[in-house]
Amino acid sequence: MRAEKLFGLLGYPIGHSLSPVMQNDQFSNQGLPFFYHAFNVPTENLKEAVEGFKALGISGFNVTVPHKIEVMKYLDEVDEEAQIIGAVNTVVNQNDKWIGYNTDGRGYVESLLNKTGDTLKDSNILVIGAGGAARAVVTALSFEGVRHLAITNRTYSKAESLKERVPHHSNISVLTTEEAEKETPAYDIIINTTSVGMSPETDKTPWRTDNLKENCLCSDLIYNPLKTKWLAEAESNGADTLNGVGMFVGQGAFAFYKWTGVWPDLNRMNDVVMQHLGGK
Ligand code: ATR
């Protein structure tokens, strides 16, 4: 079948990405004659790649590590949420203009809402970390509206800067590790946005789980491994858990929607990813 629209992914290195298999499966499932390809592009070629995509009539693309910040220089517009986050992961060709978005945070919130089946308006949430992933998550949570959000980070000043980035931050507080540890029994949801516990350092945990609130949800953005040591510990202490697969699928779903105007089959996207990750 001839592909009528082409979509891409820019990253370096790109070999492990599950986006092509997830997006192409969804295109064919929706009967869309589109194709998605991952391009391994080092930083020194990023500008030419973005210009080349436009010259070739590419309809849109995703951006991943290490280009999410740098790519903003080469776009025609960047939407408000992506500007606050300070990074773009999804680009749409609108009338020959590259418009940049960030669907990471929205994708995460979608996976969280699917898990809780509820609004987050009454939730008291702790976010561990203040890097790129935390920026996306905190921004999207603030747009969604939560009762209270605390940020704690090894480097305190980065957590303070993150709070300042978010326009409406009266319900956001910044805590030292010690302060946040004391408050642990008060949180409904604890989100690890750091890389602590990610393969190959799978024996590390980012937070204690022996003083969690009853029915606390521990959410790790990591999906390699699918169940981090932290999630396993949280589970054995009675917590509900959520791994990072939902965020990956969610960001892809919002990108798919921006490109096609069609909301994809989230369960099917999730199944495709899980098959490739060796899960259920
Ligand atoms: P990403 O884009 O994946 O979020 P990042 O921007 O490099 O990556 O941010 C990594 C986050 O994990 C930071 O909050 C970092 O803490 P610092 O700001 O103090 O560097 C946190 N992090 C990484 N390794 C950590 C460790 N061993 N212990 C605690 N926090 C760690």
Side-chain angles (χ1 to χ4, degrees), residues 65 68-69 128-136 151-159 162 177 192-198 201 204-206 221:
V65 181
K68 286 184 179 187
I69 299 171
I128 307 160
R135 287 206 302 276
I151 310 168
T152 190
N153 189 45
R154 180 177 60 181
T155 311
Y156 185 83
S157 59
K158 277 174 70 180
L162 171 51
T177 305
N192 173 41
T193 72
T194 76
S195 52
V196 178
M198 190 189 289
E201 299 195 71
K204 301 218 166 88
T205 56
L221 301 197

Side-chain angles (χ1 to χ4, degrees), residues 126 128 152 176-182 184 187 190 196 205-209 211-212 230 233:
L126 174 67
I128 307 160
T152 190
T176 64
T177 305
E178 294 69 32
E179 287 166 344
E181 264 190 7
K182 272 193 220 132
T184 296
Y187 297 115
I190 302 178
V196 178
T205 56
W207 207 249
R208 60 190 286 191
T209 59
N211 60 344
L212 300 173
W230 182 58
E233 280 183 10

Side-chain angles (χ1 to χ4, degrees), residues 1-278:
M1 186 170 64
R2 200 173 70 90
E4 289 175 13
K5 288 189 181 180
L6 287 176
F7 297 88
L9 168 64
L10 290 175
Y12 191 81
I14 209 73
H16 63 281
S17 174
L18 294 173
S19 290
V21 65
M22 178 174 77
Q23 298 290 359
N24 284 322
D25 174 80
Q26 202 54 219
F27 287 149
S28 61
N29 183 242
Q30 303 276 352
L32 297 167
F34 301 166
F35 188 72
Y36 184 107
H37 182 75
F39 294 87
N40 201 35
V41 174
T43 304
E44 62 268 28
N45 294 345
L46 182 63
K47 182 171 188 277
E48 286 79 4
V50 173
E51 286 169 358
F53 271 6
K54 200 181 258 184
L56 292 167
I58 299 281
S59 299
F61 58 96
N62 281 137
V63 188
T64 188
V65 181
H67 304 319
K68 286 184 179 187
I69 299 171
E70 177 90 2
V71 75
M72 295 168 73
K73 286 196 250 171
Y74 311 123
L75 305 179
D76 299 297
E77 279 173 40
V78 174
D79 101 317
E80 187 198 356
E81 188 166 344
Q83 279 185 39
I84 296 167
I85 295 169
V88 159
N89 80 320
T90 299
V91 180
V92 184
N93 187 335
Q94 279 171 11
N95 304 320
D96 223 23
K97 282 196 167 157
W98 284 140
I99 317 292
Y101 299 92
N102 191 309
T103 67
D104 288 328
R106 294 271 142 172
Y108 175 70
V109 169
E110 181 72 18
S111 76
L112 197 55
L113 290 171
N114 277 341
K115 181 73 184 178
T116 61
D118 208 354
T119 92
L120 301 170
K121 301 247 179 306
D122 296 325
S123 300
N124 185 19
I125 301 180
L126 174 67
V127 172
I128 307 160
R135 287 206 302 276
V137 164
V138 167
T139 305
L141 285 172
S142 77
F143 274 53
E144 180 67 23
V146 301
R147 177 158 63 88
H148 179 252
L149 204 156
I151 310 168
T152 190
N153 189 45
R154 180 177 60 181
T155 311
Y156 185 83
S157 59
K158 277 174 70 180
E160 281 182 312
S161 315
L162 171 51
K163 174 183 167 172
E164 293 308 316
R165 292 184 81 96
V166 180
H168 306 290
H169 55 232
S170 56
N171 61 342
I172 299 182
S173 53
V174 175
L175 302 180
T176 64
T177 305
E178 294 69 32
E179 287 166 344
E181 264 190 7
K182 272 193 220 132
E183 286 294 313
T184 296
Y187 297 115
D188 302 298
I189 301 172
I190 302 178
I191 305 166
N192 173 41
T193 72
T194 76
S195 52
V196 178
M198 190 189 289
S199 182
E201 299 195 71
T202 53
D203 60 328
K204 301 218 166 88
T205 56
W207 207 249
R208 60 190 286 191
T209 59
D210 57 349
N211 60 344
L212 300 173
K213 182 175 181 176
E214 206 182 333
N215 297 324
C216 176
L217 172 65
C218 288
S219 169
D220 205 329
L221 301 197
I222 295 170
Y223 57 89
N224 177 24
L226 285 171
K227 191 188 280 184
T228 55
K229 186 178 179 193
W230 182 58
L231 290 190
E233 280 183 10
E235 210 172 75
S236 68
N237 279 317
D240 205 356
T241 60
L242 176 68
N243 69 19
V245 173
M247 180 179 187
F248 175 72
V249 170
Q251 63 77 33
F254 279 100
F256 186 95
Y257 180 74
K258 292 219 170 283
W259 295 328
T260 66
V262 178
W263 185 247
D265 179 342
L266 262 184
N267 288 333
R268 189 181 167 103
M269 281 180 124
N270 191 71
D271 289 348
V272 169
V273 170
M274 288 302 284
Q275 275 165 21
H276 282 79
L277 289 173

